Amino acid sequence: MGWPSKLKILSVYPRKFLSLSLSLSFQLLLHYHNLSSASIQDMGSQIHVMFLPYMAPGHMMPMVDIARLFAAQGIRVTIITTTMNAIGFKNSIERDVESGRNISLEILRFPSAEAGLPEGCENLSSAPTPEATIKLIHGIELLEPQIKILFRERRPDCIASDYIFWWTIDVATELGIPRLAFSGLPDQVEITRSQLPDLVKRRTEFSEFFDKLKEAERKSFGLLMNSFYGLESAYSDHFTKVTGIKAWHLGPVNLFRSVDDKALGGDKATISEQRCLRWLDSKEPNSVLYVCFGSTARFSKAQILEIGNALEDSSYSFIWVVGKVLKEDNNEDHQQQEEWWLPEGYEEKLKENGKGLVIKGWVPQVLILHHPAIGGFLTHCGWNSILEGLCAGLPMVTWPIFAEQFYNEKLVTQVLKFGEPVGNKTWRVWATEDSTLISRSEIENAIRRVMGDENEAKEMRKRARRLAEWAKMAVEEGGSSYNDMKSLIEDIRMFKRLTEKTTKES
Ligand SMILES: O=c1ccn([C@@H]2O[C@H](COP(=O)(O)OP(=O)(O)O[C@H]3O[C@H](CO)[C@@H](O)[C@H](O)[C@H]3O)[C@@H](O)[C@H]2O)c(=O)[nH]1
């Protein structure tokens, strides 16, 4: 039977959370040993958790936040990464160490030459071409044996890895320790077939890989989410009911960053930081739209032209973090190249009229979002961007491009109702295809619906501010995320204690 053109979806989808897989029946052991909470407290300091983030900003940054959060709870933490990736957050880690936290980096050499990449290209956001992206993914795969050896040598009490590293479940099982991994949750939203990620829509060459991810998750004992319970309680309850898996909501983890950490957002941001903030200082409160499509999205020149014109025609000032476009004239190797591209004279015009700032490259997004001049966020609906915008209390113009971003959009526009979608083309998928071109008037209309003075816009702004307050309450002492963190750590400590006891007794 074919798919209906529109369907109600209530399914599990990939989102950022960690799943904790335990090879022993924890609940049974707990019952058997009947430990008091006082004895759990004693277990603390000797716990060692090794984190393995994936080499893409949307994956790496929240995972480093979570690792630092663990360290703040007195856990010994090691983060495994590579030379260039470490540069993005090593200053934050140094600050943590200075303040007495037990956190360190394990820095591996990235196999650039082996993967056929230029030196220094170690993160998906720095791959200069689609071909380089594939090589980079291969390079990351080449690290697997080295990382496995590291785990075996260090023998941590728990492995926390990005869900993409499905094979960490094997090492964790071998070592008899819990494994944490990233994954996601459901609600009832309207979505079209074309908006479903390829992995869900049809069996692709990735299917086998996807099955491995699911299998690793199926063995999971619990989930750790970069979210807070009040934000998506229906999703969370449904997931637990359907899968029987426990979930801990620890986020939004960006709220744990200090001002210095926000400014960093990767060291690439420092160059644009002063420029953006100085420019924003000259603007009225809530008057500027921040436009960013995450770390990996690419548009066609035609689409960039439409966005550029829409921003120029709208009544609002803007900061636009413009992504690269695919070059039309490929080189001799027929490899697709990428380049920065803007309509001729565009930047000069903006410099003259002061209406907008275009950044080619990386900005300190979290810091910008919290600037009082920012009044709205045009986003591709990457989960980190949604959470960061929400924490800054900003209404959103939503423009999902791929992966689970369409689900995230529905959460914002249909469930929480603090955003408006760009265009009404429910069939749009990859924005690089000309057939999915969104016109300047559609973009401008959506911006007006969010930034304007209509009652709907005011309501959206109110809802966004309320959500920001809830997020803050969740991570404060006694809040739901705060309590979940405590309970998770108790569970890991308990697991260690029980495993040791069981080993001694047998
Ligand atoms: O100039 C920039 C651009 C981005 N960011 C940060 O980069 C991260 C981007 O993450 P996200 O918004 O999640 O977008 P992607 O990088 O596109 O994330 C990928 O990973 C996400 C988490 O799994 C998924 O939700 C997305 O669909 C997937 O594209 C955010 O923390 C931003 O603050 C900056 O700091 N400066």
Side-chain angles (χ1 to χ4, degrees):
M1 204 175 73
W3 286 70
S5 60
K6 230 177 185 193
L7 67 139
K8 291 257 181 189
I9 182 155
L10 191 64
S11 68
V12 173
Y13 60 88
R15 177 86 70 65
K16 284 284 139 187
F17 65 95
L18 299 165
S19 70
L20 175 59
S21 317
L22 303 181
S23 51
L24 294 170
S25 171
F26 177 71
Q27 294 301 343
L28 271 176
L29 280 170
L30 188 64
H31 178 71
Y32 171 63
H33 288 288
N34 194 22
L35 290 179
S36 68
S37 62
S39 58
I40 296 168
Q41 295 304 325
D42 300 338
M43 301 169 194
S45 50
Q46 59 279 62
I47 298 288
H48 179 207
V49 182
M50 287 182 90
F51 284 80
L52 176 60
Y54 197 70
M55 291 79 176
H59 292 236
M60 197 172 75
M61 289 159 63
M63 193 129 194
V64 170
D65 288 336
I66 290 172
R68 298 178 64 212
L69 186 56
F70 269 69
Q73 304 297 315
I75 301 287
R76 181 179 151 214
V77 165
T78 306
I79 303 173
I80 304 171
T81 193
T82 64
T83 318
M84 291 310 289
N85 284 301
I87 293 174
F89 54 86
K90 73 173 180 2
N91 289 351
S92 302
I93 304 297
E94 276 164 18
R95 276 197 297 277
D96 286 349
V97 172
E98 276 163 24
S99 69
R101 293 184 193 171
N102 193 344
I103 184 165
S104 60
L105 300 181
E106 188 71 55
I107 301 175
L108 306 176
R109 183 190 71 82
F110 194 85
S112 308
E114 295 89 324
L117 286 163
E119 279 303 314
C121 182
E122 301 183 7
N123 188 292
L124 288 189
S125 66
S126 62
T129 64
E131 285 76 16
T133 302
I134 292 168
K135 286 181 185 168
L136 211 139
I137 292 170
H138 176 57
I140 295 171
E141 282 167 5
L142 290 177
L143 289 168
E144 179 184 327
Q146 215 180 327
I147 295 171
K148 278 183 171 166
I149 291 171
L150 195 61
F151 284 138
R152 286 183 190 120
E153 282 174 1
R154 299 295 149 87
R155 303 190 75 84
D157 299 304
C158 174
I159 293 174
S161 86
D162 192 291
Y163 78 101
I164 291 178
F165 298 118
W166 58 270
W167 44 266
T168 52
I169 186 81
D170 298 339
V171 201
T173 308
E174 181 191 318
L175 298 176
I177 56 172
R179 174 245 193 193
L180 305 166
F182 275 108
S183 204
L185 297 175
D187 197 348
Q188 191 152 5
V189 291
E190 283 194 357
I191 203 159
T192 60
R193 183 182 187 281
S194 62
Q195 295 176 336
L196 291 170
D198 265 0
L199 291 175
V200 178
K201 201 160 52 183
R202 56 173 180 259
R203 289 195 73 77
T204 65
E205 65 270 31
F206 295 117
S207 294
E208 201 186 319
F209 174 64
F210 191 49
D211 288 345
K212 282 179 182 159
L213 301 184
K214 276 209 300 203
E215 173 64 10
E217 203 167 281
R218 197 186 57 73
K219 296 175 185 167
S220 294
F221 170 80
L223 309 167
L224 247 185
M225 298 170 62
N226 179 15
S227 184
F228 58 102
Y229 183 73
L231 182 68
E232 40 186 359
S233 48
Y235 287 67
S236 180
D237 293 343
H238 177 77
F239 186 88
T240 306
K241 204 167 127 202
V242 170
T243 63
I245 299 173
K246 187 175 174 181
W248 293 274
H249 302 68
L250 300 187
V253 292
N254 74 78
L255 285 178
F256 297 107
R257 289 185 204 160
S258 67
V259 173
D260 285 341
D261 300 327
K262 284 182 187 134
L264 278 177
D267 72 319
K268 291 175 273 180
T270 46
I271 302 159
S272 56
E273 182 185 330
Q274 290 311 321
R275 203 172 146 217
C276 289
L277 297 182
R278 223 178 302 128
W279 186 83
L280 281 171
D281 285 345
S282 69
K283 300 291 175 195
E284 293 291 315
N286 298 318
S287 66
V288 179
L289 179 74
Y290 171 70
V291 184
C292 182
F293 297 93
S295 56
T296 50
R298 298 287 179 261
F299 284 119
S300 64
K301 281 186 184 174
Q303 189 63 79
I304 293 276
L305 184 65
E306 293 305 303
I307 298 171
N309 283 322
L311 293 174
E312 209 184 341
D313 293 349
S314 88
S315 335
Y316 309 96
S317 298
F318 61 89
I319 288 187
W320 177 17
V321 187
V322 66
K324 285 183 179 173
V325 298
L326 292 176
K327 251 187 181 176
E328 278 145 20
D329 49 333
N330 293 337
N331 64 11
E332 286 164 4
D333 304 334
H334 303 288
Q335 292 204 350
Q336 249 188 329
Q337 301 290 315
E338 292 175 350
E339 62 181 346
W340 301 112
W341 184 86
L342 279 166
E344 217 177 312
Y346 190 79
E347 285 173 275
E348 290 71 18
K349 230 185 312 168
L350 292 182
K351 261 184 207 141
E352 272 166 34
N353 61 27
K355 184 167 193 294
L357 196 59
V358 177
I359 306 289
K360 295 174 186 157
W362 198 256
V363 299
Q365 175 163 302
V366 178
L367 205 59
I368 290 180
L369 289 173
H370 284 266
H371 193 287
I374 298 289
F377 183 10
L378 197 170
T379 171
H380 73 309
C381 301
W383 185 240
N384 297 292
S385 292
I386 297 281
L387 284 180
E388 289 160 7
L390 181 147
C391 291
L394 295 172
M396 297 183 184
V397 182
T398 58
W399 186 335
I401 297 167
F402 62 89
E404 93 306 357
Q405 293 158 12
F406 291 94
Y407 296 118
N408 299 342
E409 174 188 56
K410 308 300 173 193
L411 179 73
V412 171
T413 59
Q414 294 180 11
V415 181
L416 301 170
K417 299 188 170 74
F418 69 109
E420 281 282 320
V422 153
N424 55 9
K425 293 177 179 162
T426 47
W427 44 265
R428 73 190 137 84
V429 260
W430 286 82
T432 42
E433 293 166 15
D434 277 345
S435 60
T436 62
L437 196 75
I438 314 256
S439 72
R440 63 192 72 179
S441 61
E442 285 175 297
I443 303 167
E444 206 197 324
N445 278 338
I447 295 174
R448 195 168 341 103
R449 289 201 303 275
V450 169
M451 298 286 285
D453 285 329
E454 302 292 321
N455 280 340
E456 285 84 357
K458 287 181 187 157
E459 284 304 312
M460 256 187 290
R461 279 200 281 276
K462 251 193 241 164
R463 278 193 287 268
R465 277 198 292 268
R466 204 178 311 136
L467 283 165
E469 280 162 25
W470 289 356
K472 204 160 155 274
M473 277 161 57
V475 298
E476 279 169 0
E477 191 166 349
S480 61
S481 297
Y482 177 92
N483 290 339
D484 269 16
M485 184 73 208
K486 294 271 174 218
S487 117
L488 166 71
I489 287 177
E490 281 186 5
D491 286 350
I492 299 175
R493 286 172 177 163
M494 180 83 87
F495 183 83
K496 179 174 177 176
R497 174 78 167 260
L498 293 175
T499 318
E500 284 170 356
K501 228 174 166 217
T502 311
T503 314
K504 258 191 226 156
E505 283 169 8
S506 60

